[in-house]
Amino acid sequence: MSVRLELLDIHPLRDDLYNELHSRPFQVLPTPARVTQMAVLTTPEQRQQQFEHLQELHWLLGQPVPEQEVGCFEQTFGSLRVRREMHMEFASYTFTNLAAGDDTPFSETGISLLPEGWLEQLAGTVVAAFHLDIRPASADTEGDLAYVRQHFEGMRLVGSRPQEGAARVWGTFQLHSDGFGRFMVMNQHMSDSQLGRLTQRLMEIETYRLMSLLALPVAREITPALNDMDQKLAVITQALADNQDVDEHQLLAQLTNIASRIEAFRAHSTFRFSATRAYHRLVLTRLEELREDELSGHLTITEFMTRRLTPAVKTCEAVSDRLEDLSRRIDRASEMMRTRVELAIQNQNQQLLSSMDRRSKIQLMMQHTVENFSVVAISYYLIGLLKVALDTVHDAGIEFDKSLVLGVAIPVTLLLVFLGVRAIHHRFIRLAKRQ
């Protein structure tokens, strides 16, 4: 039964997901060949400049110019093969010289066939640059070793037999007089495809190990500052532990300053340290894929990387972990400081409330006293008015005992004024309780 897949709902990235696993195919390399690889740190602006530079190469060599940039570009110009791969933060260029030439190793390299001056115009910052000389191996292993030594400028060799002895690989992991690193691959009985995969792993090991080491200068740069901040934090924490009489606001300002410096260091180094861990894992994976055997008592590439690269990566990881630890400790110390400040503020507020309560009681007592005085004052004025009224009535011809009436009115007036003031006082208390 035929199924029309286009009638189904297809994810828009389905083709890209399928093609991703095939976007960087291994090269097929003949023996002999000369390969040069360069890894160049690239900004988004430089990425476009590099593509235009690659277009210029096609124009110089008389080939059709590519119109669209791809993640992995490969083109052969006669005996020159050019491969450009885009990574997250760098671009790798692989130049392969397939022409038969002088048999002297490294006298011709992968970049020998490039147009004069083209490579010097490449945008970006070069991190890795090294040559690989691929040639057939002879049956005389000791003779090969003596031959190899002549072409590495007396530097100590690192060598092994990868892929269970299918080839012999030599290198120094150092820069030579031409500014490039060097590797020599002697093919024992590998096919062109196997040789391409081996060469690709070697290039990735060298490139990724250099990229992983970019964090080491950063770690060394910030370590003295971390030591200083660690000491200051220890003094502050000890003062808090001893419950010393300290200026909380001043200590909190110091902690804030340390925290801001830590965050600045993290912003500057977090990506670099994370990239180092990722690159290191890639190096370890590629080393496992080599399946090396020891060669003539020399350190294998895996042993060399384990002894030299791993400690450097561990240093970067230790500094990264220390940054995170300092950040957590500062948060805890700041929390303790804030708690102390809050307790001090609460204590001050409690004292203020107690003082206000005492003042309120005094004011209430004064108010009661004033109320008592006000009863007498109001009664006095009322009695005065009553006396005037009694005099007016008596002068009008109505006979009565003014003294008796006034004497009786005085206590009655005092009682009525007192009861009226108390009623008003209780009314205001009820209103306050409702609110």
Side-chain angles (χ1 to χ4, degrees), residues 32-46:
R34 297 164 182 83
V35 181
T36 299
Q37 184 169 66
M38 301 176 64
V40 185
L41 289 176
T42 306
T43 64
E45 296 79 12
Q46 291 171 337

Side-chain angles (χ1 to χ4, degrees), residues 47-55 66-69:
R47 177 168 178 165
Q48 179 60 30
Q49 296 174 15
Q50 288 181 0
F51 179 64
E52 294 173 357
H53 191 239
L54 188 63
Q55 289 177 316
E67 298 295 334
Q68 185 176 3
E69 184 180 25

